[in-house]
Amino acid sequence: MVVQAKKRELKEAQRRKKQLEERCRQEESIGNAVLTWNNEILPNWETMWCSRKVRDLWWQGIPPSVRGKVWSLAIGNELNITHELFHICLARAKERWRCFSAGGPDVDSEDAGFSAADREASLELIKLDISRTFPNLCIFQQGGPYHDMLHSVLGAYTCYRPDVGYVQGMSFIAAVLILNLDTADAFIAFSNLLNKPCQMAFFRVDHGLMLTYFAAFEVFFEENLPKLFTHFKKNSLTPDIYLIDWIFTLYSKSLPLDLACRIWDVFCRDGEEFLFRTALGILRLFEDILTRMDFIHVAQFLTRLPEDLPADEVFASIAAVQMQSRNKKWAQVLTALQRDSREMEKGSPSLRH
C-alpha cells in the first residue's frame, strides 16, 4: 500500500509539473506576442495588418492587453463618430430616462418618426437585457462595476440610431467591447460594428437579406458537410434555428467568453464570412453526435453548446472548413444570391407587397 501511495504521489507531482511547464510556456508566448503587437504591428498598422505574419498571429489569438486596440483599428470608424458625439447621445439618453422616470413627455424633434411607446419599450428592454448579460460574471447587473458603462453605451446607441433602437442581443456585443475598451471607444466600435451589412440585416430584421445569408450558408454547409446537411434537411432543421442567436450575439452568448473573444479576433480580421465559417466549424466538430439526433435534440444541443469547449479543437475544426464552392468564394456566392433575390422581386409583384 505504501508503494502504491508513493506511485500515486509521484504521478500527481509529475502531472502538476507538466501543468506548470505548460502554463509557463503559454505565459512566455503571450508575453512575446504582446511585445510583437506593441512594438512592431500597432505602430505600423497600415502596412503590416494584412501581412502573412500578422494574419498568423491573429489566428493564434490576440493578447488581452492589446485586444481592444486591435479590434478598434480592425473595425474602423467609417461613421466618423467622435467622443464628443458619444457624450451628446449619452446626455440625450439620460434626459430621456429622466423624463420617463418622472412620467413626463419626451419631446425630441430628431425622433419625430418614432413613437414614445417604441422608445420606452427600447429603454425597458435594455434594463431587462442588462440583467441577463453574462449573469455568471456578476459585473453587468445592477450594482456591478460595469453596469453603468453598459447602460450608457446601449442608451446612447438608441439615441444615435433611433431607427434601429435597441434589439435583444445587442447587450452581449456591447458587454464584450466594454471588457476590452473604455466606454466612449466601446460605443464607437459598437456603432461601426452594427453598421456592417450582416449585422444591420439581422438587427433591422431584414427578412429578405437574412434569408439570403442563410441560403449562402447552406451552399457551404452542403459543400463541407454533405452527410449532416442531408440529415438536417430530412429533419427540417433550417439555419435560422441556430444561426440567429449565434450571429445576433457574435457567439458571445453561446460560447465560453475566452473562446468567443478568439472568434471575435478573427472576425475582426476576416469579416462576416468568419461568422459563418465558425458555424460550420462547430457543426463539423459535433457532426457524429448531431447525425444521430432528431429535430428536438439537435435544436436543444445547438442552442446550448457544451460549456467546456476546448479552443484548440474548435479552431482546428474551423480551419478544416473550406469557404469555396465551385470556385466561388463567400462574397461571390452571397452577391449572386442577392442578385437572384432582387430579380425575383422585380419579376413577381406579389413579392413586393
Side-chain angles (χ1 to χ4, degrees), residues 23-78:
R23 197 177 301 133
C24 288
R25 266 198 301 273
Q26 284 177 349
E27 286 173 4
E28 187 181 355
S29 174
I30 290 168
N32 291 337
V34 169
L35 288 173
T36 304
W37 281 101
N38 275 328
N39 299 340
E40 295 177 37
I41 302 167
L42 290 173
N44 305 291
W45 178 258
E46 291 301 328
T47 54
M48 282 197 72
W49 77 269
C50 56
S51 68
R52 171 54 63 90
K53 177 187 176 180
V54 175
R55 288 181 67 82
D56 288 346
L57 267 177
W58 219 319
W59 182 267
Q60 291 162 28
I62 298 167
S65 61
V66 295
R67 185 168 262 149
K69 180 68 176 167
V70 175
W71 285 0
S72 284
L73 287 166
I75 292 167
N77 187 12
E78 284 184 1

Side-chain angles (χ1 to χ4, degrees), residues 151-212:
H151 208 243
S152 296
V153 169
L154 297 173
Y157 184 76
T158 63
C159 290
Y160 174 65
R161 290 298 302 263
D163 57 319
V164 180
Y166 178 78
V167 181
Q168 211 167 351
M170 285 182 178
S171 64
F172 279 88
I173 295 177
V176 173
L177 290 167
I178 284 166
L179 289 173
N180 291 278
L181 291 159
D182 65 35
T183 315
D185 288 329
F187 174 77
I188 293 169
F190 180 76
S191 302
N192 279 277
L193 193 52
L194 263 55
N195 201 51
K196 306 284 183 191
C198 180
Q199 275 60 53
M200 195 49 77
F202 277 75
F203 281 112
R204 295 195 80 165
V205 196
D206 182 336
H207 290 291
L209 194 45
M210 286 169 73
L211 287 172
T212 305

Side-chain angles (χ1 to χ4, degrees), residues 236-254:
S236 303
L237 280 149
T238 50
D240 56 295
I241 291 167
Y242 49 95
L243 275 186
I244 283 180
D245 203 38
W246 293 354
I247 302 297
F248 262 117
T249 63
L250 301 178
Y251 295 95
S252 55
K253 185 181 172 187
S254 316

